Amino acid sequence: MADGTVVVDTGKSANNNYATFAAKAVNENHNSRVAIMLAQTHECGLGVETKYSSTDKSNEKYVAIRLGAYLDSAGTARLSMK
């Protein structure tokens, strides 16, 4: 969502879906993630980031796209790849 609240995270589990979000059981906020901040603040609406995951011991790549107009979006969609 525009405030960074995660609606669905398909990488987490089968229980992390829209119904879980609607029940207010998802409490993650990704507004501080680099790719998301870049997508929200750049006029083109795209953000990219590569970071090392200490959990997986590998680099993970992220691409984010703003959903809506510059400075008036409905949120951000982010894709990650290992």
Side-chain angles (χ1 to χ4, degrees):
M1 298 185 71
D3 68 356
T5 302
V6 175
V7 175
V8 176
D9 186 341
T10 58
K12 292 289 184 182
S13 73
N15 293 329
N16 197 330
N17 54 40
Y18 185 77
T20 306
F21 164 75
K24 302 201 183 301
V26 177
N27 61 0
E28 286 187 83
N29 188 298
H30 285 182
N31 250 2
S32 63
R33 306 293 170 103
V34 172
I36 290 176
M37 287 191 302
L38 292 172
Q40 286 296 322
T41 58
H42 285 94
E43 287 189 46
C44 68
L46 294 174
V48 294
E49 171 188 13
T50 300
K51 71 174 192 160
Y52 181 74
S53 169
S54 57
T55 305
D56 297 343
K57 308 281 190 255
S58 65
N59 284 323
E60 196 156 357
K61 298 169 182 73
Y62 299 92
V63 175
I65 185 168
R66 183 180 57 242
L67 305 174
Y70 177 58
L71 300 179
D72 187 28
S73 79
T76 311
R78 185 178 75 156
L79 170 72
S80 66
M81 295 176 18
K82 292 185 183 189

